[in-house]
Amino acid sequence: MLYSSTIGTGQDLVLLHGWGFNSELFNNLINKYKDQYRITVIDLPGHGRSDNTDNGIDNWCDEIIKILPENPILLGWSLGGLLAINIANKIPISELILLASTPNFVNNENWEFGINKDNFQQFADTLQINLSKGLKRFISLQTKDKSQLKSLNKSIEKYPATAQALNQGLEILLTSDLTKEFKNLTVPIKAFLGNYDTLVPQKISNWYDKNHTKTQILNTGHLPFLDDNFEL
């Protein structure tokens, strides 16, 4: 069973976090927008307060779909964005918002907007050696706001992801190519990218522009929603 929590009033907005983290990553975003939206956060399988589930992007997404409100705005950060693209091909949503995300995280002969597979694997392996320490360092490179750092570090310590979920999530990131599925979408799409993001290069903005996606590039790394200039 997946953990979810809902707060606020207005149009339904669902937030999906990324690999290794949990939904408390969005606490500042929730506080900022809870008077404009009815916000639902979900801990991904094996992350935060959610149980493990079967492997594979479709199994993960099917579990998430079970607890989604009807026709929501679906926002996904990083791995959460990849899941959101897949979900948007399965059920009706009103809008898709991608934060530092892409339909394919890994480069291949037909895709130049990801990163090298070996580099990605090395990055993930380094994090998994000491997940809590690795995620904290990762966050420290994304924001200098001490109150944000303290809050995010606390959530990492309190709700660690399971080893099974980390391996499943990494496999999804390394093997999923949803470029065709993305092109099939007809809902409004917005993408937020970071100038200094080393996982989702900003040059993907050209591809997004050609595929009917409104793109905004912020002066950030892989966590654009922590920037003061971020606006939905």
Side-chain angles (χ1 to χ4, degrees):
M1 185 175 180
L2 301 188
Y3 169 86
S4 67
S5 176
T6 300
I7 189 173
T9 57
Q11 186 175 4
D12 278 304
L13 169 66
V14 176
L15 311 180
L16 300 178
H17 64 83
W19 184 85
F21 288 87
N22 60 72
S23 58
E24 293 206 355
L25 182 74
F26 293 124
N27 282 349
N28 286 353
L29 202 60
I30 293 167
N31 289 332
K32 185 175 181 178
Y33 287 104
K34 64 184 179 182
D35 294 330
Q36 300 177 46
Y37 299 96
R38 183 174 180 265
I39 302 174
T40 297
V41 294
I42 299 171
D43 284 343
L44 300 185
H47 291 67
R49 289 144 287 191
S50 288
D51 296 331
N52 287 321
T53 190
D54 291 337
N55 194 17
I57 189 169
D58 285 321
N59 286 323
W60 277 37
C61 289
D62 289 345
E63 289 299 311
I64 293 168
I65 287 170
K66 290 177 183 178
I67 51 179
L68 289 182
E70 186 176 351
N71 202 36
I73 300 171
L74 192 55
L75 179 153
W77 168 65
S78 197
L79 169 60
L82 192 65
L83 299 175
I85 293 168
N86 196 44
I87 290 169
N89 273 272
K90 291 172 173 282
I91 65 167
I93 66 169
S94 60
E95 184 180 0
L96 177 64
I97 301 175
L98 303 176
L99 308 183
S101 195
T102 161
N104 185 358
F105 276 84
V106 178
N107 284 336
N108 59 45
E109 59 183 11
N110 300 313
W111 184 255
E112 60 176 334
F113 307 114
I115 64 173
N116 178 274
K117 184 175 183 178
D118 291 337
N119 290 346
F120 200 117
Q121 182 75 55
Q122 185 178 30
F123 167 78
D125 288 346
T126 300
L127 278 181
Q128 289 194 73
I129 291 171
N130 186 327
L131 182 65
S132 177
K133 183 178 180 180
L135 293 180
K136 287 178 182 178
R137 170 156 177 73
F138 177 72
I139 287 175
S140 72
L141 298 175
Q142 314 297 323
T143 179
K144 300 303 179 185
D145 186 315
K146 291 184 179 180
S147 63
Q148 279 187 345
L149 285 172
K150 184 177 180 180
S151 175
L152 292 170
N153 287 342
K154 184 177 179 181
S155 71
I156 290 168
E157 292 176 353
K158 190 174 181 181
Y159 301 115
T162 68
Q164 176 180 325
L166 292 173
N167 289 327
Q168 289 177 347
L170 181 60
E171 183 177 346
I172 291 170
L173 286 166
L174 288 172
T175 63
S176 299
D177 182 352
L178 300 182
T179 51
K180 290 181 180 178
E181 288 82 353
F182 186 92
K183 291 179 178 180
N184 288 335
L185 295 174
T186 58
V187 297
I189 308 172
K190 289 193 289 190
F192 293 86
L193 303 170
N195 258 331
Y196 305 109
D197 193 342
T198 57
L199 296 177
V200 181
Q202 64 159 312
K203 65 181 180 180
I204 195 180
S205 63
N206 297 323
W207 186 87
Y208 275 142
D209 289 341
K210 293 175 183 176
N211 286 280
H212 315 295
T213 300
K214 183 178 178 182
T215 308
Q216 183 175 353
I217 300 174
L218 297 172
N219 199 32
T220 67
H222 195 57
L223 290 163
F225 56 93
L226 296 184
D227 187 80
D228 291 337
N229 295 317
F230 175 80
E231 296 283 346
L232 281 178

